[in-house]
């Protein structure tokens, strides 16, 4: 009896393996959707559309982008976590999703358990910027003004629990200042208000603000990473500007629902990494201030685990908790 059960179990395993392999060979047979948890115009959206444009012809099917903004990028994440794990619904996640577990009291999904990493597409430095009409020329100017008038200066972010929120929080802790946090649903509305003077500054990624920096409509004060941006080498790091201890950049990566067949996610990894490593894609990334990555699925999984632990410590130190 036990032998029969063992034989049946082995047969089932082999059959599942053959079915999975056959599915991967025929995949895809219809349109693939990449869900972006922010409105159009931000870095997540730009990267998703760049990948989609190049991935479609490679796979022989249309790859479209669907924007599902809200709740600090967790609304779109939840939708994909619960989507059919067939490889036709993918997610452009970001560092924000490794922060959310530490700042939201409850989440309807687990970023580590409910997603299967495909590859990290790019790392984009965050940058402290003010309007070109602002009286603040340096980071020290901002700190002095903030100390003189607590809560008078404001900074915008892409939502509660995002990387920009974390950077702003750490900035205040290190400098002993108090800034008013103004959360937005994405970079586009935030940048509009920044240009109009409705918020004093932002710590957004370089991509959405770069065109306005080049047009002298926004003034860059410092990048938030340990080293300078290759796209804006003249802009100092926060450490160089007198604020040590902050090293946060925003990574963006492609993921699928956790139960997606491994052969499918492996196929997607192989094709997307080829795109990322191409000279054309590398130039496109440089032009928008991004550093292309293209790592393995295991490397991305480790990155997610490491950053989830790191931001848990930051959130506890800052006492950040969101309903």
């Amino acid at each position: 009896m036990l032998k029969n059960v063992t034989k049946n179990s082995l047969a089932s395993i082999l059959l599942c393996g053959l079915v999975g392999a056959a599915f991967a060979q025929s995949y895809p047979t219809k349109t693939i959707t990449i869900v972006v948890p922010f409105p159009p115009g931000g870095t997540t959206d730009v990267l998703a559309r760049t990948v989609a444009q190049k991935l479609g012809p490679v796979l022989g099917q249309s790859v479209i982008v669907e924007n599902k903004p809200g709740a600090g990028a967790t609304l779109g994440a939840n939708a994909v976590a619960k989507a059919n794990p067939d490889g036709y619904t993918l997610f452009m996640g970001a560092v924000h999703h490794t922060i959310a577990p530490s700042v939201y009291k409850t989440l309807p999904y687990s970023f580590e358990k409910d997603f299967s990493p495909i590859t990290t597409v790019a790392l984009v430095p965050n940058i402290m910027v003010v309007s070109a009409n602002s009286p603040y020329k340096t980071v020290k100017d901002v700190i002095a003004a903030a100390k003189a008038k607590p809560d008078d200066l404001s900074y915008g972010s892409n939502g509660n629990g995002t990387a920009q929120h974390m950077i702003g929080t750490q900035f205040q802790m290190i400098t002993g200042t108090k800034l008013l946090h103004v959360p937005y649903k994405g970079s586009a509305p935030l940048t509009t208000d920044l240009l109009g003077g409705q918020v004093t500054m932002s710590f957004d990624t370089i991509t959405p603000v770069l065109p306005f920096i080049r047009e002298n409509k926004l003034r860059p004060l410092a990048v938030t990473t340990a080293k300078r941006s290759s796209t804006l080498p003249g802009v100092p790091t926060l450490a160089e500007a007198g604020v040590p201890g902050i090293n946060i950049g925003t990574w963006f990566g492609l993921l699928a629902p956790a139960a997606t067949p491994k052969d499918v996610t492996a196929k997607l990894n192989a094709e997307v990494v080829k795109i990322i490593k191409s000279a054309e894609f590398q130039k496109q990334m440089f032009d928008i201030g991004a550093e292309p990555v293209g790592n393995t699925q295991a490397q991305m999984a480790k990155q997610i685990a490491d950053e989830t632990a790191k931001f848990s410590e930051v959130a506890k130190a800052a006492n950040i908790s969101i309903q």
Side-chain angles (χ1 to χ4, degrees), residues 43 140 304:
T43 308
K140 288 182 179 180
I304 289 171

Side-chain angles (χ1 to χ4, degrees), residues 109-170:
Y109 66 89
S110 166
F111 193 58
E112 289 190 74
K113 295 179 181 178
D114 294 338
F115 288 89
S116 176
I118 295 172
T119 189
T120 306
V121 175
L123 172 69
V124 185
N126 289 63
I127 187 165
M128 182 179 181
V129 291
V130 295
S131 168
N133 298 321
S134 168
Y136 312 120
K137 310 292 185 185
T138 66
V139 174
K140 288 182 179 180
D141 290 343
V142 172
I143 295 171
K147 285 185 175 179
K149 294 182 178 180
D151 287 324
D152 189 57
L153 275 65
S154 59
Y155 77 96
S157 77
N158 282 358
N160 290 312
T162 58
Q164 298 95 324
H165 185 194
M166 284 287 125
I167 295 167
T169 299
Q170 277 197 300

Side-chain angles (χ1 to χ4, degrees), residues 78-94:
N78 184 46
V80 178
K82 293 174 171 55
N84 189 4
D86 56 6
Y88 292 98
T89 303
L90 306 178
F91 184 60
M92 187 59 80

